[in-house]
Amino acid sequence: MKELENKIFKSIVCFLTILSLFMLSFIILFILKESIVFFKEVSILEFIFGKRWNPLNSPDKLSIYPTILGTIYVSIVGIVIALPIGVGSAVVLSSYTNSKIKKIIRTLIDILAGIPSVIHGFIGLLVVIKFFETKFLFATGESVLAGGIILSIMMLPFIISTCEESMEKIYNEYSTYSNALGISKSYMIRKVILPNSKRSILASTVLALSRGMGETMAVMMVIGNAPIMPKLLGKCQTIPSLIALEMGMAEVGSLHYHALYAAGFVLMMILLIINILLYIIKRKII
């Protein structure tokens, strides 16, 4: 009976895995199919490295270089802010917090992860942007920095959850030996827990970057959505926000319509390249 149950369970898991891969392949092929129509009119290099986006002009004015930089720039600002805070929070949770408080904090982290992105966007509009405008006298608070700050808040649950679970296992494994040898907790964290958590930290970085580069609503509400070269305290536009803003008004079958699919395809390729690079780094340093 148990063997039959195991076979049924294994078959269900295999079916769901194959179904997931099939759906992912279908999405990629569909986006590629819609993008090829555009790439027949405009070369992919011209589309990627051109600096002007004007869908009402000639096809050579449809290019997304500033938008690509904006996507990467906002995500990097977000991960630079979120990673130290997330790893530090994971260290505190795994090594300095008792079980009761840890359960409460984990619940709050889960709640933070479940907050809709539009709520984060409203907080960015009402708090972050207003703060920049009133305290620093900016003409407008909409900027790459504002987008990075909001994005870092959205990245934190992924980083904390991924790192904390691994660090807790390492701490439970080595704490007894550490106490027996009279080694301080801070020394054990620096020399044992953090070095052995490189894999989970890198995994959390990949998850957070993928989450950040694909985020639409919250970032769109605070970055100004201007297709210009991004600056830390200036406006910019990301690929997801470009697609969200213009897909509804693009005529189906037009070059503008297919250009937006091409932008989505470029975003997928960027994410794939980043994941490959991080995988290579992980193989070399871990």
Side-chain angles (χ1 to χ4, degrees):
M1 186 66 182
K2 288 185 178 179
E3 290 183 4
L4 179 61
E5 289 178 356
N6 290 334
K7 286 182 179 179
I8 293 172
F9 179 75
K10 183 179 179 180
S11 300
I12 292 172
V13 171
C14 290
F15 172 75
L16 292 175
T17 303
I18 293 170
L19 181 63
S20 300
L21 291 173
F22 176 78
M23 292 174 66
L24 179 62
S25 302
F26 175 78
I27 291 169
I28 294 172
L29 290 173
F30 177 76
I31 293 175
L32 178 61
K33 171 180 169 294
E34 296 294 331
S35 302
I36 287 173
V37 178
F38 175 76
F39 290 135
K40 288 179 180 178
E41 299 288 334
V42 180
S43 71
I44 188 168
L45 291 178
E46 191 177 324
F47 178 64
I48 292 174
F49 294 106
K51 296 183 179 180
R52 297 191 62 185
W53 176 266
N54 188 352
L56 300 178
N57 210 322
S58 56
D60 61 327
K61 297 297 187 293
L62 285 169
S63 50
I64 59 168
Y65 183 63
T67 307
I68 293 172
L69 290 183
T71 305
I72 296 171
Y73 203 173
V74 172
S75 301
I76 289 175
V77 171
I79 198 70
V80 166
I81 297 171
L83 191 60
I85 298 173
V87 173
S89 301
V91 169
V92 171
L93 280 175
S94 61
S95 305
Y96 291 99
T97 310
N98 61 50
S99 58
K100 290 183 179 179
I101 297 176
K102 191 180 296 184
K103 287 180 181 179
I104 295 171
I105 295 175
R106 281 176 176 171
T107 303
L108 294 175
I109 291 170
D110 292 338
I111 292 172
L112 181 62
I115 295 175
S117 59
V118 68
I119 304 300
H120 289 282
F122 274 125
I123 293 171
L125 280 172
L126 298 175
V127 179
V128 179
I129 290 178
K130 289 296 181 183
F131 179 79
F132 286 162
E133 291 175 349
T134 56
K135 298 298 182 181
F136 296 104
L137 302 178
F138 292 168
T140 174
E142 295 175 330
S143 60
V144 170
L145 181 58
I149 291 171
I150 294 302
L151 207 53
S152 67
I153 296 171
M154 302 178 72
M155 290 175 173
L156 275 176
F158 298 93
I159 297 173
I160 295 173
S161 298
T162 305
C163 294
E164 189 268 332
E165 184 178 352
S166 174
M167 289 179 180
E168 186 178 20
K169 290 179 181 178
I170 297 168
Y171 178 80
N172 291 336
E173 182 178 353
Y174 290 101
S175 61
T176 304
Y177 306 111
S178 176
N179 293 331
L181 293 171
I183 296 172
S184 66
K185 187 175 290 188
S186 61
Y187 184 88
M188 184 181 72
I189 290 170
R190 294 196 314 272
K191 299 297 183 180
V192 179
I193 294 178
L194 287 176
N196 283 284
S197 301
K198 288 180 181 178
R199 191 179 295 273
S200 62
I201 293 171
L202 194 58
S204 69
T205 303
V206 173
L207 285 173
L209 269 178
S210 301
R211 175 74 172 87
M213 296 186 75
E215 176 54 40
T216 305
M217 185 58 66
V219 173
M220 184 173 68
M221 295 171 72
V222 297
I223 59 173
N225 300 299
I228 56 177
M229 297 299 288
K231 296 179 181 179
L232 184 63
L233 300 179
K235 295 181 179 182
C236 74
Q237 188 172 49
T238 62
I239 295 176
S241 65
L242 171 68
I243 297 171
L245 284 170
E246 299 191 11
M247 184 58 79
M249 63 177 123
E251 182 183 352
V252 177
S254 65
L255 202 62
H256 180 201
Y257 174 83
H258 291 291
L260 294 173
Y261 274 101
F265 178 74
V266 170
L267 178 61
M268 287 196 305
M269 292 301 103
I270 292 172
L271 287 170
L272 179 62
I273 291 168
I274 290 173
N275 278 270
I276 291 172
L277 289 175
L278 289 174
Y279 177 76
I280 292 171
I281 292 170
K282 182 176 74 173
R283 291 290 298 271
K284 287 187 176 182
I285 68 172
I286 298 178

